Amino acid sequence: MRNGDADSRTGTPGTSSGGSGGNPQGPVACASSLAARRDDSRQRTMQLMEAVVERENMFGALRQVEANKGSAGVDGVSVDALRACLREHWPRIKEELLEGRYQPQPVRKVEIPKPGGKGMRQLGIPTVMDRLIQQALNQVMQPIFDPDFSESSYGFRPGRSAHQAVLRAREYAATDRRWVVDMDLEKFFDRVNHDILMARLARKIADRRVLQLIRRYLQAGSMVGGVVSPRTEGTPQGGPLSPLLSNILLDDLDKELEQRGHAFCRYADDCNIYVKSRRAGQRVLESLTRFLANRLKLKVNVDKSAVARPWVRKFLGYSMTFHKRPRLRVAPAVVDRMKAKLREQFRMGRGRNIRRVIEELTPVLRGWVNYFRLSEVKGNFEELDEWIRRKFRCIIWRQWKRTYTRAKNMMKCGLGEERAWRSAKNQRGPWWNSGASHMNQCFPKRFFERLGLVSLLSQLRRLQCTS
């Protein structure tokens, strides 16, 4: 067998008189080699729990949990108290993990508004101890599963990002694939089938203790008002292990798309497939809907999924122009969502010092423009800058309250007495006045720059110059 393999690799003719002219044992040897590698991989994962609780792995997990911070779980133990808790309880917990007896605690159920305010998203916050163990599991499982993931999968993987997915999507749209199948999975994290997921995990993990522990995490109930509700399906968003588990389950979708020869980008449960015509897109959407229902027991949200032009839909917050060489831009719905978020900040800042409000807004603005730094259409940034400055002028106008105060302060800002009094008595509302020439003259752009207000457009240009 070994000699035959060598002949096959070096191109030496074998003894077979078959049409291929190769060694008839080659395919058998290849299959045997593949099976041997699989057996070897499973053998290495027989003692996976020992790798999970290994000292360096646990210290790495501890540093990551502390860096992520986050709120306490159902036991009320904070991240700051985790080290003290470990000193007291880790020997017992480690023994329980190695013996397969560890029982996770329920997650704390939290609801947050979905983007756009349509419904609520349910999060499950594990205890800090369970977050630590999940992070340790993630660190040893990621290198086992990640190498076999699709090149078109970008979410929650080392060395990959949403920006890479967006750039690849633009590349597809720049070819003759000018239609996109924008597929949305209905309540994906709430609908994950535990048995199907565990079967995928068992393909590469042979340590029954690890498999049992993961199933216990999947089945750990959620606590609301002191009452624990059991879980029979789904994986709670909020734990360090959930993103990896979602990639493991949806890898079947990736492999199916690759086998069909589709050009696609997937980031977690957000998947876009690029095709050449609307008709082809409809066929793809219908067939994938059946595939997901039959193979993975997942449901496609028909209301949010569509076949459309890429510049009509959004992907990871970005949209693009209709040009032959599309340019990236911030999706209009995302700009509206940003305005809604800022409105809440401005409402809380009506009676406060403007400089203090600006200090609180600065991290939000910097983070937003940093994520959308790939945008090649800058009009949204300029319009949002103007809108933010107008909101601040509106706050100032409200704070002045009385006609006399408004006239006096406008004169201090350099307006003539007649114009100041005429503007102060115009009987218009705060929003109208905040956009009028008298308030623009009193509080120009340079005034807010001196207070430290971040210009989104200037920040974008700076980021693009340095990248």
Side-chain angles (χ1 to χ4, degrees), residues 56-331:
E56 286 304 314
N57 186 59
M58 292 304 303
F59 267 114
L62 177 60
R63 288 191 292 269
Q64 189 62 51
V65 170
E66 289 177 333
N68 292 340
K69 298 182 180 179
S71 57
V74 295
D75 60 357
V77 178
S78 66
V79 173
D80 294 335
L82 179 56
R83 286 183 181 256
C85 184
L86 284 170
R87 281 192 289 270
E88 183 178 355
H89 299 292
W90 177 244
R92 173 184 58 81
I93 292 173
K94 180 179 179 180
E95 182 180 346
E96 290 178 357
L97 288 169
L98 290 172
E99 294 178 0
R101 295 186 291 108
Y102 181 79
Q103 293 288 342
Q105 295 191 61
V107 298
R108 181 168 62 87
K109 186 177 178 181
V110 177
E111 291 186 340
I112 60 172
K114 287 185 177 180
K118 297 179 180 179
M120 303 294 287
R121 173 171 288 130
Q122 294 185 3
L123 300 182
I125 309 300
T127 64
V128 289
M129 185 62 72
D130 284 327
R131 291 213 292 273
L132 175 70
I133 296 169
Q134 285 192 35
Q135 180 62 36
L137 281 167
N138 182 74
Q139 289 171 182
V140 297
M141 288 171 58
Q142 187 88 40
I144 296 171
F145 287 93
D146 192 82
D148 292 331
F149 285 156
S150 169
E151 285 296 314
S152 297
S153 168
Y154 294 91
F156 310 112
R157 296 181 60 191
R160 289 176 169 262
S161 67
H163 285 168
Q164 292 174 333
V166 169
L167 291 172
R168 178 57 61 87
R170 184 185 63 178
E171 289 177 15
Y172 290 143
T175 63
D176 55 352
R177 302 178 187 272
R178 304 282 281 178
W179 291 87
V180 61
V181 181
D182 188 355
M183 192 169 61
D184 182 86
L185 298 179
E186 187 173 294
K187 297 181 179 179
F188 168 72
F189 285 95
D190 297 330
R191 297 279 176 85
V192 169
N193 184 286
H194 291 174
D195 292 334
I196 293 175
L197 175 56
M198 293 308 302
R200 271 55 180 176
L201 288 165
R203 290 172 181 174
K204 292 189 176 183
I205 295 179
D207 194 327
R208 294 181 62 85
R209 297 166 298 176
V210 171
L211 294 174
Q212 288 172 352
L213 179 60
I214 294 174
R215 184 176 279 276
R216 286 171 185 162
Y217 274 122
L218 292 173
Q219 295 177 338
S222 57
M223 181 177 286
V224 182
V227 179
V228 178
S229 303
R231 178 184 292 274
T232 57
E233 64 176 0
T235 171
Q237 290 179 264
L241 200 55
S242 293
L244 176 60
L245 297 180
S246 70
N247 276 334
I248 291 170
L249 183 65
L250 290 176
D251 189 54
D252 277 24
L253 172 62
D254 297 340
K255 296 298 189 288
E256 178 69 15
L257 290 170
E258 288 177 341
Q259 187 176 347
R260 298 184 187 186
H262 288 307
F264 71 98
C265 298
R266 183 179 67 79
Y267 192 96
D269 59 334
D270 198 347
C271 185
N272 277 7
I273 304 116
Y274 294 85
V275 295
K276 297 181 180 180
S277 68
R278 180 190 288 272
R279 190 174 177 181
Q282 292 290 355
R283 287 198 305 268
V284 169
L285 183 57
E286 290 169 8
S287 63
L288 287 179
T289 299
R290 291 192 299 269
F291 170 83
L292 287 165
N294 296 333
R295 181 75 67 86
L296 300 178
K297 307 300 181 187
L298 296 173
K299 186 178 180 181
V300 173
N301 190 326
V302 294
D303 295 328
K304 294 184 179 180
S305 301
V307 178
R309 296 292 193 178
W311 47 89
V312 176
R313 307 294 291 184
K314 64 181 176 68
F315 180 53
L316 301 178
Y318 281 87
S319 186
M320 58 184 77
T321 63
F322 58 85
H323 301 93
K324 187 174 182 180
R325 175 65 182 171
R327 293 185 296 160
L328 294 174
R329 65 189 180 99
V330 183

Side-chain angles (χ1 to χ4, degrees), residues 316-449:
L316 301 178
Y318 281 87
S319 186
M320 58 184 77
T321 63
F322 58 85
H323 301 93
K324 187 174 182 180
R325 175 65 182 171
R327 293 185 296 160
L328 294 174
R329 65 189 180 99
V330 183
V334 174
V335 177
D336 293 340
R337 200 156 64 233
M338 181 61 169
K339 284 185 176 181
K341 182 176 182 179
L342 293 175
R343 281 191 187 98
E344 292 297 320
Q345 298 279 345
F346 287 127
R347 266 194 285 269
M348 294 186 293
R350 286 180 181 176
R352 301 171 58 203
N353 181 275
I354 296 296
R355 189 186 295 273
R356 185 69 178 272
V357 177
I358 288 175
E359 288 174 357
E360 293 178 0
L361 281 185
T362 296
V364 177
L365 298 177
R366 287 190 185 278
W368 193 84
V369 74
N370 185 59
Y371 178 76
F372 289 106
R373 66 181 181 270
L374 297 181
S375 179
E376 298 162 284
V377 178
K378 298 177 174 59
N380 284 337
F381 292 83
E382 188 173 9
E383 291 173 9
L384 198 51
D385 273 336
E386 293 172 358
W387 181 85
I388 290 170
R389 289 194 293 269
R390 184 172 178 178
K391 291 295 287 186
F392 275 114
R393 294 185 188 108
C394 187
I395 291 175
I396 294 170
W397 185 265
R398 286 179 183 275
Q399 288 178 346
W400 285 347
K401 294 183 180 178
R402 299 172 58 190
T403 300
Y404 174 78
T405 306
R406 288 168 178 168
K408 184 179 70 173
N409 286 335
M410 282 190 284
M411 284 187 279
K412 286 182 179 179
C413 291
L415 260 65
E417 183 177 356
E418 181 184 351
R419 187 183 177 198
W421 277 105
R422 188 172 65 249
S423 300
K425 295 189 294 184
N426 62 30
Q427 300 298 312
R428 300 274 190 168
W431 183 245
W432 186 91
N433 278 282
S434 65
S437 60
H438 52 269
M439 286 298 284
N440 275 271
Q441 185 175 334
C442 288
F443 301 100
K445 180 181 176 181
R446 62 179 179 274
F447 168 81
F448 296 105
E449 288 176 345

